[in-house]
Amino acid sequence: MSELIDVVCHQCRIKLELLDAPVPREAWWKFLDEHAYHPVELLWEHSEARDRIDIDYIYVDSDIEGDPSFAEYAGDWPGRPLALHPRPIARGVAEIVERAFDAMEAREWQAAPADGAAGERIMQYMDFAPPASEPVDDDAVLARLAAVEAALEQLRRATTEPVGEHFGTFLNDVLRALPTAADLPPDELCAESGPLASPRLWDTERALRLIQHLVDARITLRKPSPDTD
């Protein structure tokens, strides 16, 4: 194919590129079988509808850790039940993160001197890319939950620091979208897990990964605006 074409299922939030090679063709037939009755769309390289794909979509054969390769998707993809499960938390956070990226690109986001330091401290507690196929037991669920709670606490602490208005608003927005500790009771998460992680836990981890992406890519490297006092 001379032009990049993707097929997307908006219900399951997954996309793959249509490539004329044996393994990608197998993945394409698998996609047709699984999503024939879902809201599916073909997107060309410059399709305006690409704006509908947010950063929480599963990208088959991307370089994102945790997303399946063509071979994994075409074969027995063990993480499929979890990866295609609805992710309302990640969806809400993705919208906030994308608005932040857009504001930065439009130079509407004003950085403050404290933003970078706060971002560096947050990143010490943000390392979320567990694949959907990773098997878990109760100990693994509790360890991952502890990591989530530590990251949430760092996000809350950052809102008490002298960060800039835009970064502070971003932090408050994502904290409202993320669950509290009361929303993630350990006993329930353990009961929901096995052999894969609880959908609630993985949804939260995906959302934190999106925040991690923005903070690592933009906040920790971002310089204050010239007109910042």
Side-chain angles (χ1 to χ4, degrees):
M1 295 182 183
S2 59
E3 186 175 1
L4 174 67
I5 302 176
D6 290 331
V7 61
V8 180
C9 175
H10 295 293
Q11 176 175 314
C12 299
R13 306 175 74 76
I14 186 169
K15 84 174 186 72
L16 61 83
E17 185 179 351
L18 301 185
L19 296 177
D20 189 14
V23 177
R25 281 198 299 269
E26 290 181 24
W28 163 236
W29 285 111
K30 179 75 168 289
F31 185 97
L32 283 179
D33 181 59
E34 291 186 336
H35 305 279
Y37 298 101
H38 295 176
V40 170
E41 187 172 16
L42 289 175
L43 301 180
W44 275 256
E45 188 171 2
H46 301 293
S47 296
E48 293 183 4
R50 283 188 177 274
D51 293 339
R52 297 174 54 199
I53 301 177
D54 70 40
I55 56 178
D56 182 47
Y57 274 56
I58 300 291
Y59 285 31
V60 176
D61 209 50
S62 75
D63 57 359
I64 300 173
E65 185 177 355
D67 286 354
S69 66
F70 281 124
E72 288 171 330
Y73 183 80
D76 183 18
W77 179 23
R80 177 184 175 278
L82 182 57
L84 301 189
H85 197 280
R87 299 184 295 278
I89 298 167
R91 184 169 66 249
V93 168
E95 294 174 357
I96 298 168
V97 170
E98 290 194 311
R99 287 200 303 268
F101 271 118
D102 289 344
M104 291 175 179
E105 292 298 324
R107 300 185 182 277
E108 297 170 352
W109 180 294
Q110 299 298 316
D115 290 1
E120 291 284 359
R121 286 191 290 274
I122 290 170
M123 287 304 298
Q124 295 177 29
Y125 294 83
M126 302 282 279
D127 185 17
F128 294 97
S133 58
E134 183 174 304
V136 298
D137 56 18
D138 286 354
D139 288 341
V141 170
L142 295 177
R144 286 167 62 165
L145 176 58
V148 165
E149 291 175 340
L152 293 174
E153 177 60 23
Q154 289 304 309
L155 292 172
R156 286 191 289 268
R157 287 186 180 183
T159 64
T160 68
E161 300 178 15
V163 297
E165 177 184 357
H166 287 90
F167 190 29
T169 298
F170 170 80
L171 291 170
N172 282 308
D173 286 347
V174 295
L175 282 168
R176 281 192 292 268
L178 289 165
T180 65
D183 298 321
L184 300 170
D187 291 346
E188 291 184 13
L189 294 183
C190 288
E192 294 170 5
S193 301
L196 304 178
S198 158
R200 275 191 288 175
L201 177 60
W202 199 66
D203 187 11
T204 305
E205 290 172 328
R206 291 278 297 192
L208 288 169
R209 191 185 76 175
L210 302 181
I211 298 168
Q212 174 189 4
H213 174 55
L214 179 130
V215 173
D216 188 40
R218 297 296 180 89
I219 302 300
T220 58
L221 303 177
R222 202 166 176 80
K223 303 296 184 183
S225 302
D227 57 350
T228 301
D229 293 334

